[in-house]
Structures are given as C-alpha cells and as structure tokens.
PDB file of all heavy atoms in Angstrom:
ATOM      1  N   ASP A  58     -10.570 -15.624  -9.412  1.00 96.00           N
ATOM      2  CA  ASP A  58     -10.937 -14.804 -10.590  1.00 96.00           C
ATOM      3  C   ASP A  58      -9.921 -13.688 -10.737  1.00 96.00           C
ATOM      4  O   ASP A  58      -9.635 -12.960  -9.749  1.00 96.00           O
ATOM      5  CB  ASP A  58     -12.335 -14.221 -10.414  1.00 96.00           C
ATOM      6  CG  ASP A  58     -13.415 -15.278 -10.528  1.00 96.00           C
ATOM      7  OD1 ASP A  58     -13.258 -16.195 -11.360  1.00 96.00           O
ATOM      8  OD2 ASP A  58     -14.418 -15.192  -9.809  1.00 96.00           O
ATOM      9  N   CYS A  59      -9.329 -13.548 -11.899  1.00 96.00           N
ATOM     10  CA  CYS A  59      -8.206 -12.691 -12.096  1.00 96.00           C
ATOM     11  C   CYS A  59      -8.602 -11.339 -12.704  1.00 96.00           C
ATOM     12  O   CYS A  59      -8.594 -11.153 -13.934  1.00 96.00           O
ATOM     13  CB  CYS A  59      -7.143 -13.327 -12.959  1.00 96.00           C
ATOM     14  SG  CYS A  59      -6.451 -14.814 -12.198  1.00 96.00           S
ATOM     15  N   SER A  60      -8.974 -10.397 -11.869  1.00 93.00           N
ATOM     16  CA  SER A  60      -9.232  -9.031 -12.323  1.00 93.00           C
ATOM     17  C   SER A  60      -7.888  -8.283 -12.375  1.00 93.00           C
ATOM     18  O   SER A  60      -6.891  -8.766 -11.811  1.00 93.00           O
ATOM     19  CB  SER A  60     -10.153  -8.308 -11.338  1.00 93.00           C
ATOM     20  OG  SER A  60      -9.502  -8.212 -10.073  1.00 93.00           O
ATOM     21  N   PRO A  61      -7.839  -7.137 -13.057  1.00 93.00           N
ATOM     22  CA  PRO A  61      -6.572  -6.340 -13.008  1.00 93.00           C
ATOM     23  C   PRO A  61      -6.113  -6.056 -11.619  1.00 93.00           C
ATOM     24  O   PRO A  61      -4.888  -6.032 -11.357  1.00 93.00           O
ATOM     25  CB  PRO A  61      -6.964  -5.074 -13.746  1.00 93.00           C
ATOM     26  CG  PRO A  61      -8.057  -5.499 -14.697  1.00 93.00           C
ATOM     27  CD  PRO A  61      -8.827  -6.542 -13.944  1.00 93.00           C
ATOM     28  N   GLU A  62      -7.067  -5.866 -10.676  1.00 94.00           N
ATOM     29  CA  GLU A  62      -6.654  -5.577  -9.271  1.00 94.00           C
ATOM     30  C   GLU A  62      -6.018  -6.812  -8.669  1.00 94.00           C
ATOM     31  O   GLU A  62      -5.075  -6.683  -7.850  1.00 94.00           O
ATOM     32  CB  GLU A  62      -7.934  -5.233  -8.459  1.00 94.00           C
ATOM     33  CG  GLU A  62      -7.588  -4.883  -7.011  1.00 94.00           C
ATOM     34  CD  GLU A  62      -8.843  -4.534  -6.202  1.00 94.00           C
ATOM     35  OE1 GLU A  62      -9.484  -3.581  -6.583  1.00 94.00           O
ATOM     36  OE2 GLU A  62      -9.092  -5.246  -5.183  1.00 94.00           O
ATOM     37  N   TYR A  63      -6.464  -8.022  -9.028  1.00 95.00           N
ATOM     38  CA  TYR A  63      -5.831  -9.223  -8.482  1.00 95.00           C
ATOM     39  C   TYR A  63      -4.337  -9.290  -8.844  1.00 95.00           C
ATOM     40  O   TYR A  63      -3.493  -9.575  -7.998  1.00 95.00           O
ATOM     41  CB  TYR A  63      -6.544 -10.471  -9.046  1.00 95.00           C
ATOM     42  CG  TYR A  63      -5.836 -11.797  -8.616  1.00 95.00           C
ATOM     43  CD1 TYR A  63      -6.036 -12.319  -7.360  1.00 95.00           C
ATOM     44  CD2 TYR A  63      -5.008 -12.430  -9.498  1.00 95.00           C
ATOM     45  CE1 TYR A  63      -5.416 -13.493  -6.973  1.00 95.00           C
ATOM     46  CE2 TYR A  63      -4.373 -13.606  -9.145  1.00 95.00           C
ATOM     47  CZ  TYR A  63      -4.588 -14.123  -7.901  1.00 95.00           C
ATOM     48  OH  TYR A  63      -3.938 -15.325  -7.530  1.00 95.00           O
ATOM     49  N   PHE A  64      -3.995  -8.985 -10.069  1.00 95.00           N
ATOM     50  CA  PHE A  64      -2.616  -8.999 -10.506  1.00 95.00           C
ATOM     51  C   PHE A  64      -1.773  -7.922  -9.807  1.00 95.00           C
ATOM     52  O   PHE A  64      -0.663  -8.153  -9.363  1.00 95.00           O
ATOM     53  CB  PHE A  64      -2.483  -8.840 -12.035  1.00 95.00           C
ATOM     54  CG  PHE A  64      -3.119  -9.940 -12.816  1.00 95.00           C
ATOM     55  CD1 PHE A  64      -4.091  -9.710 -13.757  1.00 95.00           C
ATOM     56  CD2 PHE A  64      -2.654 -11.265 -12.614  1.00 95.00           C
ATOM     57  CE1 PHE A  64      -4.628 -10.762 -14.474  1.00 95.00           C
ATOM     58  CE2 PHE A  64      -3.215 -12.308 -13.361  1.00 95.00           C
ATOM     59  CZ  PHE A  64      -4.213 -12.085 -14.269  1.00 95.00           C
ATOM     60  N   GLU A  65      -2.376  -6.724  -9.712  1.00 93.00           N
ATOM     61  CA  GLU A  65      -1.644  -5.641  -9.103  1.00 93.00           C
ATOM     62  C   GLU A  65      -1.449  -5.902  -7.617  1.00 93.00           C
ATOM     63  O   GLU A  65      -0.387  -5.605  -7.026  1.00 93.00           O
ATOM     64  CB  GLU A  65      -2.476  -4.302  -9.265  1.00 93.00           C
ATOM     65  CG  GLU A  65      -1.671  -3.053  -8.993  1.00 93.00           C
ATOM     66  CD  GLU A  65      -0.525  -2.829  -9.903  1.00 93.00           C
ATOM     67  OE1 GLU A  65      -0.664  -3.045 -11.121  1.00 93.00           O
ATOM     68  OE2 GLU A  65       0.556  -2.414  -9.385  1.00 93.00           O
ATOM     69  N   ARG A  66      -2.448  -6.455  -6.977  1.00 93.00           N
ATOM     70  CA  ARG A  66      -2.340  -6.802  -5.578  1.00 93.00           C
ATOM     71  C   ARG A  66      -1.252  -7.823  -5.295  1.00 93.00           C
ATOM     72  O   ARG A  66      -0.540  -7.783  -4.312  1.00 93.00           O
ATOM     73  CB  ARG A  66      -3.692  -7.302  -5.032  1.00 93.00           C
ATOM     74  CG  ARG A  66      -3.734  -7.583  -3.528  1.00 93.00           C
ATOM     75  CD  ARG A  66      -5.057  -8.215  -3.163  1.00 93.00           C
ATOM     76  NE  ARG A  66      -6.157  -7.285  -3.365  1.00 93.00           N
ATOM     77  CZ  ARG A  66      -6.577  -6.459  -2.415  1.00 93.00           C
ATOM     78  NH1 ARG A  66      -5.953  -6.406  -1.252  1.00 93.00           N
ATOM     79  NH2 ARG A  66      -7.600  -5.611  -2.658  1.00 93.00           N
ATOM     80  N   LEU A  67      -1.124  -8.782  -6.229  1.00 92.00           N
ATOM     81  CA  LEU A  67      -0.210  -9.903  -6.072  1.00 92.00           C
ATOM     82  C   LEU A  67       1.245  -9.405  -6.046  1.00 92.00           C
ATOM     83  O   LEU A  67       2.065  -9.926  -5.300  1.00 92.00           O
ATOM     84  CB  LEU A  67      -0.379 -10.903  -7.222  1.00 92.00           C
ATOM     85  CG  LEU A  67       0.361 -12.253  -7.043  1.00 92.00           C
ATOM     86  CD1 LEU A  67      -0.179 -13.001  -5.824  1.00 92.00           C
ATOM     87  CD2 LEU A  67       0.222 -13.093  -8.311  1.00 92.00           C
ATOM     88  N   ILE A  68       1.573  -8.388  -6.858  1.00 91.00           N
ATOM     89  CA  ILE A  68       2.960  -7.951  -6.919  1.00 91.00           C
ATOM     90  C   ILE A  68       3.205  -6.705  -6.011  1.00 91.00           C
ATOM     91  O   ILE A  68       4.357  -6.232  -5.946  1.00 91.00           O
ATOM     92  CB  ILE A  68       3.374  -7.597  -8.352  1.00 91.00           C
ATOM     93  CG1 ILE A  68       2.545  -6.453  -8.922  1.00 91.00           C
ATOM     94  CG2 ILE A  68       3.296  -8.792  -9.231  1.00 91.00           C
ATOM     95  CD1 ILE A  68       3.066  -5.946 -10.258  1.00 91.00           C
ATOM     96  N   TYR A  69       2.176  -6.225  -5.352  1.00 93.00           N
ATOM     97  CA  TYR A  69       2.337  -5.063  -4.494  1.00 93.00           C
ATOM     98  C   TYR A  69       3.250  -5.405  -3.305  1.00 93.00           C
ATOM     99  O   TYR A  69       3.102  -6.462  -2.689  1.00 93.00           O
ATOM    100  CB  TYR A  69       0.980  -4.579  -3.971  1.00 93.00           C
ATOM    101  CG  TYR A  69       1.088  -3.297  -3.158  1.00 93.00           C
ATOM    102  CD1 TYR A  69       1.148  -2.048  -3.810  1.00 93.00           C
ATOM    103  CD2 TYR A  69       1.194  -3.332  -1.796  1.00 93.00           C
ATOM    104  CE1 TYR A  69       1.258  -0.880  -3.077  1.00 93.00           C
ATOM    105  CE2 TYR A  69       1.318  -2.164  -1.040  1.00 93.00           C
ATOM    106  CZ  TYR A  69       1.328  -0.959  -1.691  1.00 93.00           C
ATOM    107  OH  TYR A  69       1.430   0.202  -0.940  1.00 93.00           O
ATOM    108  N   LYS A  70       4.173  -4.580  -3.024  1.00 93.00           N
ATOM    109  CA  LYS A  70       5.115  -4.771  -1.889  1.00 93.00           C
ATOM    110  C   LYS A  70       4.800  -3.821  -0.761  1.00 93.00           C
ATOM    111  O   LYS A  70       5.068  -2.591  -0.879  1.00 93.00           O
ATOM    112  CB  LYS A  70       6.560  -4.582  -2.357  1.00 93.00           C
ATOM    113  CG  LYS A  70       6.982  -5.613  -3.408  1.00 93.00           C
ATOM    114  CD  LYS A  70       8.413  -5.392  -3.779  1.00 93.00           C
ATOM    115  CE  LYS A  70       8.872  -6.421  -4.837  1.00 93.00           C
ATOM    116  NZ  LYS A  70      10.271  -6.268  -5.276  1.00 93.00           N
ATOM    117  N   PRO A  71       4.219  -4.291   0.342  1.00 96.00           N
ATOM    118  CA  PRO A  71       3.956  -3.403   1.484  1.00 96.00           C
ATOM    119  C   PRO A  71       5.210  -2.790   2.015  1.00 96.00           C
ATOM    120  O   PRO A  71       6.312  -3.361   1.863  1.00 96.00           O
ATOM    121  CB  PRO A  71       3.307  -4.371   2.526  1.00 96.00           C
ATOM    122  CG  PRO A  71       2.794  -5.531   1.722  1.00 96.00           C
ATOM    123  CD  PRO A  71       3.783  -5.691   0.589  1.00 96.00           C
ATOM    124  N   PHE A  72       5.096  -1.624   2.624  1.00 97.00           N
ATOM    125  CA  PHE A  72       6.277  -0.939   3.161  1.00 97.00           C
ATOM    126  C   PHE A  72       5.891  -0.162   4.423  1.00 97.00           C
ATOM    127  O   PHE A  72       4.733   0.217   4.624  1.00 97.00           O
ATOM    128  CB  PHE A  72       6.887  -0.005   2.129  1.00 97.00           C
ATOM    129  CG  PHE A  72       5.951   1.108   1.651  1.00 97.00           C
ATOM    130  CD1 PHE A  72       5.875   2.337   2.292  1.00 97.00           C
ATOM    131  CD2 PHE A  72       5.150   0.865   0.519  1.00 97.00           C
ATOM    132  CE1 PHE A  72       5.004   3.283   1.858  1.00 97.00           C
ATOM    133  CE2 PHE A  72       4.250   1.848   0.080  1.00 97.00           C
ATOM    134  CZ  PHE A  72       4.184   3.047   0.766  1.00 97.00           C
ATOM    135  N   PHE A  73       6.915   0.055   5.261  1.00 98.00           N
ATOM    136  CA  PHE A  73       6.690   0.815   6.475  1.00 98.00           C
ATOM    137  C   PHE A  73       6.680   2.297   6.161  1.00 98.00           C
ATOM    138  O   PHE A  73       7.603   2.765   5.451  1.00 98.00           O
ATOM    139  CB  PHE A  73       7.742   0.498   7.549  1.00 98.00           C
ATOM    140  CG  PHE A  73       7.578  -0.858   8.193  1.00 98.00           C
ATOM    141  CD1 PHE A  73       8.438  -1.883   7.898  1.00 98.00           C
ATOM    142  CD2 PHE A  73       6.542  -1.090   9.069  1.00 98.00           C
ATOM    143  CE1 PHE A  73       8.297  -3.131   8.501  1.00 98.00           C
ATOM    144  CE2 PHE A  73       6.383  -2.333   9.665  1.00 98.00           C
ATOM    145  CZ  PHE A  73       7.251  -3.333   9.380  1.00 98.00           C
ATOM    146  N   ILE A  74       5.704   2.994   6.642  1.00 98.00           N
ATOM    147  CA  ILE A  74       5.642   4.445   6.424  1.00 98.00           C
ATOM    148  C   ILE A  74       6.654   5.159   7.309  1.00 98.00           C
ATOM    149  O   ILE A  74       6.742   4.898   8.532  1.00 98.00           O
ATOM    150  CB  ILE A  74       4.197   4.959   6.737  1.00 98.00           C
ATOM    151  CG1 ILE A  74       3.228   4.326   5.732  1.00 98.00           C
ATOM    152  CG2 ILE A  74       4.137   6.477   6.652  1.00 98.00           C
ATOM    153  CD1 ILE A  74       1.760   4.629   6.058  1.00 98.00           C
ATOM    154  N   SER A  75       7.416   6.097   6.734  1.00 97.00           N
ATOM    155  CA  SER A  75       8.401   6.787   7.511  1.00 97.00           C
ATOM    156  C   SER A  75       8.103   8.285   7.682  1.00 97.00           C
ATOM    157  O   SER A  75       8.712   8.954   8.514  1.00 97.00           O
ATOM    158  CB  SER A  75       9.781   6.664   6.824  1.00 97.00           C
ATOM    159  OG  SER A  75       9.723   7.205   5.476  1.00 97.00           O
ATOM    160  N   LYS A  76       7.095   8.763   6.918  1.00 97.00           N
ATOM    161  CA  LYS A  76       6.710  10.153   7.033  1.00 97.00           C
ATOM    162  C   LYS A  76       5.599  10.300   8.080  1.00 97.00           C
ATOM    163  O   LYS A  76       4.734   9.432   8.199  1.00 97.00           O
ATOM    164  CB  LYS A  76       6.221  10.688   5.689  1.00 97.00           C
ATOM    165  CG  LYS A  76       7.304  10.718   4.625  1.00 97.00           C
ATOM    166  CD  LYS A  76       6.727  11.278   3.297  1.00 97.00           C
ATOM    167  CE  LYS A  76       7.815  11.302   2.241  1.00 97.00           C
ATOM    168  NZ  LYS A  76       7.275  11.799   0.950  1.00 97.00           N
ATOM    169  N   LYS A  77       5.655  11.392   8.802  1.00 97.00           N
ATOM    170  CA  LYS A  77       4.661  11.588   9.849  1.00 97.00           C
ATOM    171  C   LYS A  77       3.257  11.780   9.301  1.00 97.00           C
ATOM    172  O   LYS A  77       2.266  11.408   9.936  1.00 97.00           O
ATOM    173  CB  LYS A  77       5.018  12.820  10.706  1.00 97.00           C
ATOM    174  CG  LYS A  77       6.306  12.635  11.525  1.00 97.00           C
ATOM    175  CD  LYS A  77       6.649  13.879  12.373  1.00 97.00           C
ATOM    176  CE  LYS A  77       7.945  13.656  13.166  1.00 97.00           C
ATOM    177  NZ  LYS A  77       8.281  14.802  13.982  1.00 97.00           N
ATOM    178  N   VAL A  78       3.174  12.315   8.120  1.00 97.00           N
ATOM    179  CA  VAL A  78       1.899  12.429   7.420  1.00 97.00           C
ATOM    180  C   VAL A  78       2.073  11.779   6.049  1.00 97.00           C
ATOM    181  O   VAL A  78       2.940  12.197   5.258  1.00 97.00           O
ATOM    182  CB  VAL A  78       1.409  13.871   7.252  1.00 97.00           C
ATOM    183  CG1 VAL A  78       0.114  13.919   6.477  1.00 97.00           C
ATOM    184  CG2 VAL A  78       1.280  14.519   8.648  1.00 97.00           C
ATOM    185  N   TYR A  79       1.263  10.749   5.739  1.00 97.00           N
ATOM    186  CA  TYR A  79       1.385  10.066   4.446  1.00 97.00           C
ATOM    187  C   TYR A  79      -0.012   9.645   4.063  1.00 97.00           C
ATOM    188  O   TYR A  79      -0.624   8.743   4.676  1.00 97.00           O
ATOM    189  CB  TYR A  79       2.273   8.847   4.604  1.00 97.00           C
ATOM    190  CG  TYR A  79       2.522   8.116   3.300  1.00 97.00           C
ATOM    191  CD1 TYR A  79       3.509   8.519   2.406  1.00 97.00           C
ATOM    192  CD2 TYR A  79       1.714   7.011   2.951  1.00 97.00           C
ATOM    193  CE1 TYR A  79       3.714   7.845   1.195  1.00 97.00           C
ATOM    194  CE2 TYR A  79       1.940   6.341   1.758  1.00 97.00           C
ATOM    195  CZ  TYR A  79       2.910   6.759   0.902  1.00 97.00           C
ATOM    196  OH  TYR A  79       3.106   6.093  -0.303  1.00 97.00           O
ATOM    197  N   GLY A  80      -0.599  10.274   3.032  1.00 93.00           N
ATOM    198  CA  GLY A  80      -1.963   9.951   2.638  1.00 93.00           C
ATOM    199  C   GLY A  80      -2.929  10.226   3.789  1.00 93.00           C
ATOM    200  O   GLY A  80      -2.954  11.341   4.326  1.00 93.00           O
ATOM    201  N   ASP A  81      -3.715   9.261   4.131  1.00 94.00           N
ATOM    202  CA  ASP A  81      -4.664   9.401   5.232  1.00 94.00           C
ATOM    203  C   ASP A  81      -4.008   9.172   6.600  1.00 94.00           C
ATOM    204  O   ASP A  81      -4.671   9.342   7.640  1.00 94.00           O
ATOM    205  CB  ASP A  81      -5.848   8.423   5.074  1.00 94.00           C
ATOM    206  CG  ASP A  81      -6.707   8.811   3.838  1.00 94.00           C
ATOM    207  OD1 ASP A  81      -6.712   9.981   3.449  1.00 94.00           O
ATOM    208  OD2 ASP A  81      -7.326   7.888   3.280  1.00 94.00           O
ATOM    209  N   PHE A  82      -2.772   8.749   6.615  1.00 97.00           N
ATOM    210  CA  PHE A  82      -2.079   8.449   7.874  1.00 97.00           C
ATOM    211  C   PHE A  82      -1.468   9.714   8.467  1.00 97.00           C
ATOM    212  O   PHE A  82      -0.818  10.530   7.741  1.00 97.00           O
ATOM    213  CB  PHE A  82      -0.995   7.404   7.667  1.00 97.00           C
ATOM    214  CG  PHE A  82      -0.123   7.192   8.891  1.00 97.00           C
ATOM    215  CD1 PHE A  82      -0.536   6.456   9.955  1.00 97.00           C
ATOM    216  CD2 PHE A  82       1.153   7.778   8.913  1.00 97.00           C
ATOM    217  CE1 PHE A  82       0.275   6.271  11.045  1.00 97.00           C
ATOM    218  CE2 PHE A  82       1.973   7.585   9.992  1.00 97.00           C
ATOM    219  CZ  PHE A  82       1.542   6.826  11.112  1.00 97.00           C
ATOM    220  N   ASN A  83      -1.667   9.891   9.803  1.00 98.00           N
ATOM    221  CA  ASN A  83      -1.008  10.986  10.510  1.00 98.00           C
ATOM    222  C   ASN A  83      -0.595  10.424  11.869  1.00 98.00           C
ATOM    223  O   ASN A  83      -1.451  10.027  12.678  1.00 98.00           O
ATOM    224  CB  ASN A  83      -1.968  12.149  10.653  1.00 98.00           C
ATOM    225  CG  ASN A  83      -1.313  13.377  11.300  1.00 98.00           C
ATOM    226  OD1 ASN A  83      -0.377  13.271  12.097  1.00 98.00           O
ATOM    227  ND2 ASN A  83      -1.813  14.560  10.942  1.00 98.00           N
ATOM    228  N   ILE A  84       0.661  10.396  12.128  1.00 97.00           N
ATOM    229  CA  ILE A  84       1.174   9.754  13.386  1.00 97.00           C
ATOM    230  C   ILE A  84       0.629  10.457  14.615  1.00 97.00           C
ATOM    231  O   ILE A  84       0.348   9.799  15.646  1.00 97.00           O
ATOM    232  CB  ILE A  84       2.709   9.739  13.397  1.00 97.00           C
ATOM    233  CG1 ILE A  84       3.214   9.028  14.653  1.00 97.00           C
ATOM    234  CG2 ILE A  84       3.281  11.157  13.351  1.00 97.00           C
ATOM    235  CD1 ILE A  84       2.829   7.549  14.730  1.00 97.00           C
ATOM    236  N   ASP A  85       0.397  11.765  14.497  1.00 97.00           N
ATOM    237  CA  ASP A  85      -0.130  12.481  15.649  1.00 97.00           C
ATOM    238  C   ASP A  85      -1.583  12.194  15.960  1.00 97.00           C
ATOM    239  O   ASP A  85      -2.137  12.563  16.991  1.00 97.00           O
ATOM    240  CB  ASP A  85       0.067  14.014  15.472  1.00 97.00           C
ATOM    241  CG  ASP A  85       1.558  14.400  15.481  1.00 97.00           C
ATOM    242  OD1 ASP A  85       2.315  13.790  16.299  1.00 97.00           O
ATOM    243  OD2 ASP A  85       1.952  15.249  14.680  1.00 97.00           O
TER     244      ASP A  85
END
C-alpha cells in the first residue's frame, strides 16, 4: 500500500552520523 511515507522511505538514503550530538543521538 503506497502511502506518502512509503514513497519517502523508498528514496531515503541512510547516512553515518558524524556529529557527537545529532537529534536524539548523543555519543557520550
């Protein structure tokens, strides 16, 4: 079933986080 999220998810390109704090991520 093709919701708008399905299309957005399909073209999303994952990436490695390089910042110590990024969104909810905190390396410490």
Side-chain angles (χ1 to χ4, degrees):
D58 289 322
C59 299
S60 64
E62 181 180 301
Y63 174 80
F64 295 124
E65 194 65 42
R66 183 186 294 273
L67 191 64
I68 63 171
Y69 184 84
K70 295 181 180 180
F72 59 89
F73 287 108
I74 296 173
S75 59
K76 296 180 180 179
K77 293 181 180 180
V78 178
Y79 183 85
D81 294 333
F82 171 78
N83 187 330
I84 185 61
D85 292 321

